[in-house]
Amino acid sequence: MGVIPDGPAERAVEEGRILVAEFDGDVVGWVFLTRSEGELCIGQIAVSPSMQRRGIGTALIARIIIDARVRREESIVLSTQSDIEWNQPWYEQLGFEIIPPEQWTNDMRTVAREQGEAGLDWNTRVHMRLRISGVPNTAE
């Protein structure tokens, strides 16, 4: 699974910005949440390779959506790779839509620039948004 540096991880735990999935007492997945210009942002999601394709990631996202709805969030944003067959299509299946570059926020432009400078190819990455009001309420 992915790794978050200790300092940001500890702050996220204190602030309730990490959601974990457990199986038989072991953490098998997690989502790290941040904020981006007022929007809830999925900073990273990871599921243990041995536990993938069992609905754990989908359950984590569903829980985030339920919690976001309760907190009256308007949207959730993220960035992901578009060239890996399961990333972008999975998010689209969950209701996320690609944000065209001309609609990127300042934070999104900064993320793309900084990640580009760090070696990530933004020709194979996208920003995506899920409008909470457009998602069926599965909590009822």
Side-chain angles (χ1 to χ4, degrees):
M1 284 194 300
V3 176
I4 302 170
D6 288 346
E10 289 168 4
R11 283 190 299 281
V13 168
E14 290 170 5
E15 296 168 4
R17 294 184 295 106
I18 290 184
L19 178 66
V20 300
E22 294 183 56
F23 181 76
D24 285 342
D26 293 323
V27 173
V28 296
W30 50 266
V31 179
F32 174 69
L33 300 169
T34 64
R35 296 210 66 86
S36 176
E37 293 190 31
E39 291 181 278
L40 186 61
C41 179
I42 296 174
Q44 190 171 358
I45 183 168
V47 174
S48 175
S50 66
M51 298 298 288
Q52 291 178 356
R53 305 206 50 83
R54 297 181 187 199
I56 293 168
T58 300
L60 286 166
I61 297 291
R63 182 77 239 176
I64 289 168
I65 292 169
I66 290 167
D67 292 349
R69 186 182 303 284
V70 168
R71 289 192 317 272
R72 300 190 189 278
E73 299 280 354
E74 293 184 19
S75 57
I76 302 170
V77 295
L78 58 86
S79 65
T80 191
Q81 291 177 255
S82 60
D83 62 335
I84 295 180
E85 65 186 56
W86 57 84
N87 280 18
Q88 179 184 330
W90 178 65
Y91 286 115
E92 288 173 333
Q93 183 180 28
L94 295 170
F96 286 82
E97 297 178 345
I98 293 173
I99 305 167
E102 62 273 9
Q103 294 178 17
W104 287 1
T105 64
N106 288 332
D107 279 356
M108 290 174 187
R109 283 189 277 283
T110 298
V111 165
R113 187 188 76 250
E114 289 176 352
Q115 288 182 346
E117 290 170 356
L120 291 177
D121 181 1
W122 264 85
N123 291 315
T124 61
R125 294 190 65 79
V126 292
H127 287 294
M128 301 183 83
R129 177 179 284 124
L130 173 72
R131 299 253 180 231
I132 299 299
S133 61
V135 178
N137 190 349
T138 56
E140 296 178 352

